[in-house]
Amino acid sequence: CVLLSAMSGDRFWSAVEATRTKGPLVQCLTNFVSMDIVANGLLAVGASPAMVHATDELSDAVPIVGATGGAVSINIGTLDERWIQSFEATVALCKTHQVPWVLDPVAAGFTTLRTSTAVRLMELHAPAVVRGNASEILALAGATSGGKGVDSTDASDAAIAAATLLAERFGCVVCVSGATDYVVAPGGAVSACHHGHEMLTKVTAAGCLVSSVIAAFV
């Protein structure tokens, strides 16, 4: 892979201003722990959050998200059978209506259900972006990595090869969060962002927020 530095400040702020001007609608199917911080974080970057996950309203909501140039963020944090039904229905609608979606495979590798659910969603219709910690990304690629619940037991650079495989297989961008964040493009280019901070490991739902903010920018 080719390791690149993160985007320049000018490009970054240009993207921020474009998102604020657009004010994208982001439909969030996220876990109960993170809903508040995700909603407030999206408002802070200029997006419009919609916490819509009931299966009976998805067929109305997803086309509106697409028509307004928005995106969907799926986070499997508080997983159960009803959530899985909602996730699968949403991804199918995203495919039908060509709505980009972002996957946060929370604690993939920790249990078989979490890993299989995340992989099944990706196989149903590839996401625009996958954002996870190193253990989650390794698990999605089929590597042996359990993680400590929602926390990674692997350094972020240990998942670059796995992220590259996923990016090539699904044609999506793969983001690996950690002390250093890595962004892997389908073509194999890898960008690094060295602004991680230990305090982020002490705040609940920081990663969930990042995934939803990514959806505002796709």
Side-chain angles (χ1 to χ4, degrees):
C1 65
V2 179
L3 187 61
L4 306 173
S5 60
M7 70 167 65
S8 68
D10 288 343
R11 288 182 62 200
F12 172 79
W13 286 113
S14 176
V16 170
E17 289 302 321
T19 299
R20 288 175 175 169
T21 299
K22 180 181 179 181
L25 175 62
V26 179
Q27 180 183 343
C28 301
L29 292 82
T30 190
N31 64 77
F32 296 121
V33 178
S34 70
M35 284 187 179
D36 184 70
I37 189 172
V38 165
N40 285 317
L42 284 170
L43 288 171
V45 300
S48 180
M51 304 319 194
V52 177
H53 62 264
T55 52
D56 289 342
E57 60 182 346
L58 293 174
S59 60
D60 292 329
V62 174
I64 294 173
V65 173
T68 59
V72 170
S73 176
I74 292 181
N75 176 303
I76 69 170
T78 46
L79 192 64
D80 64 22
E81 293 79 4
R82 293 295 297 274
W83 276 110
I84 293 172
Q85 292 174 8
S86 184
F87 295 153
E88 292 180 345
T90 300
V91 171
L93 285 164
C94 285
K95 181 178 182 179
T96 298
H97 297 281
Q98 298 184 324
V99 179
W101 69 284
V102 175
L103 173 64
D104 188 332
V106 180
F110 180 58
T111 69
T112 301
L113 178 63
R114 290 180 174 277
T115 307
S116 63
T117 296
V119 171
R120 187 163 63 253
L121 292 175
M122 296 175 71
E123 291 176 340
L124 180 61
H125 175 54
V129 182
V130 179
R131 199 290 315 170
N133 63 39
S135 293
E136 292 163 348
I137 298 304
L138 285 163
L140 294 185
T144 302
S145 182
K148 184 182 178 183
V150 300
D151 298 323
S152 180
T153 55
D154 301 276
S156 54
D157 60 355
I160 293 176
T164 301
L165 288 173
L166 291 172
E168 292 177 352
R169 177 182 176 188
F170 293 101
C172 64
V173 173
V174 180
C175 302
V176 187
S177 296
T180 298
D181 297 329
Y182 294 99
V183 180
V184 182
V190 181
S191 299
C193 180
H194 303 280
H195 298 300
H197 197 286
E198 186 179 0
M199 286 295 293
L200 290 172
T201 67
K202 309 300 181 183
V203 180
T204 299
C208 305
L209 172 58
V210 170
S211 297
S212 294
V213 168
I214 290 171
F217 282 81
V218 297

